[in-house]
Amino acid sequence: MAMRRAALAAMVAALLLAACDSKPDFGGSYSDKNGLMSLNFHSNGKVTVDTVGGGGDFDYVVSGKTITLKMPQGDQTLTIADDGTLTVPGGPPLIKDREYACKDDSGAIGNLRLSGDEAYMVDPKDQTAAGTQKIGTFTDDGKQLVITDAEGSNTYTEDKGTLTAGKVTCTLIGG
């Protein structure tokens, strides 16, 4: 019995050690509200950085609530805030980009993409610039998402990955 417990304890310790050494599952795109910076985290431990001053692909490491970007000019540490935004020392918060598949009574109407503070309608069959149309800016308090354009605003109720406004329902597919 004691040997079984010892073997079990050794197996648990090995699994915990392996979990500590593995790369965390962290991914997605983040951008600031001014369009000055975007980060696209890949599950292979690489991040694509795009800033007004340049960018590139770099390694990153997640530890608790910090992300360290391994850059040639030195490591850059970001903090993961409780609301999921990333804080950059001396920079604006970065908000996770999201995409929703939207439909109404007649069927699919396109994908709603939220990036920074801008809202886009995207043709799911043509996700290039030609198939993407900016529809306004948005604010989000976690309960309501409000998209505003020159003609006014549309308010969507948020509930567990679903946005609803009148007969339009949008389901989270990315972000």
Side-chain angles (χ1 to χ4, degrees), residues 100 158-163 170-173:
Y100 298 82
E158 294 184 65
D159 185 32
K160 298 176 185 168
T162 301
L163 302 174
C170 303
T171 305
L172 185 65
I173 57 173

Side-chain angles (χ1 to χ4, degrees), residues 3 18 22 34 41 43-45 51 57 80 93 101 108-110 119 121 124 154 166:
M3 283 181 70
S22 66
N34 300 318
F41 293 93
S43 60
N44 66 355
T51 67
D57 292 325
I80 304 169
I109 57 176
M121 189 54 71
N154 290 313

Side-chain angles (χ1 to χ4, degrees), residues 94-135:
L94 301 174
I95 302 163
K96 188 164 186 164
D97 296 349
R98 295 172 283 169
E99 189 159 337
Y100 298 82
C102 299
K103 64 180 181 176
D104 62 12
D105 290 342
S106 63
I109 57 176
N111 292 355
L112 174 64
R113 181 175 296 157
L114 305 174
S115 179
D117 71 344
E118 296 181 338
Y120 301 88
M121 189 54 71
V122 181
D123 179 347
K125 295 177 185 159
D126 180 10
Q127 295 203 7
T128 66
T132 303
Q133 176 186 1
K134 182 178 176 185
I135 58 172

Side-chain angles (χ1 to χ4, degrees), residues 28-41 50 85-86 92-98 114-118 120 138:
S29 297
Y30 291 77
S31 54
D32 71 86
K33 290 187 177 202
N34 300 318
L36 302 175
M37 176 187 288
S38 68
L39 305 175
N40 187 7
F41 293 93
D50 186 16
T85 60
L86 302 180
L94 301 174
I95 302 163
K96 188 164 186 164
D97 296 349
R98 295 172 283 169
L114 305 174
S115 179
D117 71 344
E118 296 181 338
Y120 301 88
F138 76 91

